[in-house]
Amino acid sequence: MIRDFFQDFPGTLRMEGPESNSQFNYTVTVMGYEALLGIHPTTLEYVPALATHWKVSPDKMTFWFRINPNARFSDGTPVTSDDVIATFDLMMDKTLQSPSSLLTYGRFERPVAESKYIARVQSKELNWRNFMVISGMLIYPAHLLKTFNGEKYLKEYNYKLLPGSGPYTIHEEDIVKGKSITVRRRKDYWAEKARANIGTANFDEIRYVVVRDEKLAFEMFKKGELDYYAYLSARQWVQETNFDNVQRGLVQK
């Protein structure tokens, strides 16, 4: 387990809708979800994620994605073309109260399932960002999305997560409102052995505790109550990082 802190408890753990655009969600909660494609960290080329193959029409208006038949959500259900369609429908649901999603995904026609694992997406107009946007859309499970609309999602999933296909998950019992959130590594992550994932998702458990005072967090780190601390002050780095646990080698700079 690794222990870290955050200064404010997130207003929601939903990845969509009001208050979802928090730093915590974009850096932590997102570890539970995957998009159709990823971006190579060095070359910036597209790489497989949920989709193993993709194709772009000559006019760059139509995109095809072939979903990996091995891909699974954390509840064990397979990821299919239906999940792409259902996720798109959620993004375009006005009751989700997300004008930015309507604007972003409104540039596409509703996706079409050409087969169980092949989804086709048609752009309404040419734009260089279209492929990046649709291939980067986080995919959620259709078998749940089909049971509610955006309004119900906002009410029932504020601190309850939709199953995702990523390497981590957050259970309801691991959310202590106002105090801490614990993220747990899935033991059944479908893409654990994929080349792009080797050496990542190493911690079984990541625990974030609320510490609203930066100085208090630093003192907790010095005592060993937190395992990680990012120095944002040059003065602090020079003058305050020779404490006992640094001298003993328990803390590495």
Side-chain angles (χ1 to χ4, degrees), residues 79-244:
V79 182
T80 69
S81 300
D82 284 344
D83 301 306
V84 177
I85 298 171
T87 300
F88 180 86
D89 288 344
L90 176 66
M91 298 299 101
M92 294 300 295
D93 188 335
K94 291 183 179 180
T95 66
L96 184 63
Q97 299 181 37
S98 179
S100 61
S101 295
L102 291 173
L103 182 66
T104 299
Y105 297 103
R107 65 183 67 174
F108 305 99
E109 303 289 350
R110 188 171 186 254
V112 175
E114 292 197 345
S115 71
K116 183 176 181 179
Y117 294 113
I118 297 179
R120 184 183 78 242
V121 184
Q122 175 73 42
S123 303
K124 292 181 179 179
E125 57 184 44
L126 187 65
N127 189 298
W128 68 271
R129 295 185 181 186
N130 284 353
F131 186 76
M132 177 179 67
V133 166
I134 202 66
S135 67
M137 182 175 70
L138 299 179
I139 303 301
Y140 307 119
H143 67 280
L144 290 176
L145 295 185
K146 290 178 179 179
T147 65
F148 52 73
N149 63 3
E151 182 180 15
K152 189 174 181 180
Y153 170 67
L154 295 182
K155 290 181 179 179
E156 297 187 4
Y157 283 84
N158 201 33
Y159 288 107
K160 182 172 91 171
L161 273 67
L162 286 167
S165 61
Y168 284 91
T169 188
I170 302 175
H171 301 289
E172 286 187 79
E173 59 268 25
D174 289 327
I175 302 170
V176 183
K177 291 183 180 179
K179 295 183 178 181
S180 69
I181 296 175
T182 300
V183 188
R184 299 185 187 276
R185 180 166 63 171
R186 287 177 54 187
K187 296 180 180 179
D188 60 347
Y189 176 44
W190 70 277
E192 181 180 1
K193 296 182 180 180
R195 183 178 179 183
N197 296 329
I198 300 299
T200 68
N202 294 316
F203 294 105
D204 289 327
E205 193 175 322
I206 309 172
R207 180 168 299 164
Y208 295 87
V209 296
V210 175
V211 184
R212 292 187 166 86
D213 187 302
E214 189 84 25
K215 292 182 179 179
L216 175 59
F218 181 55
E219 293 302 317
M220 292 173 64
F221 171 68
K222 288 167 62 176
K223 293 178 182 179
E225 296 174 4
L226 296 174
D227 298 311
Y228 171 82
Y229 188 87
Y231 294 93
L232 303 178
S233 163
R235 180 198 57 77
Q236 187 181 45
W237 174 262
V238 172
Q239 298 179 1
E240 300 179 13
T241 58
N242 195 35
F243 51 89
D244 181 59

Side-chain angles (χ1 to χ4, degrees), residues 13-15 24-33 161 170:
L13 292 182
R14 283 182 283 96
M15 291 302 298
F24 188 86
N25 282 354
Y26 286 150
T27 58
V28 181
T29 311
V30 73
M31 294 191 298
Y33 301 98
L161 273 67
I170 302 175

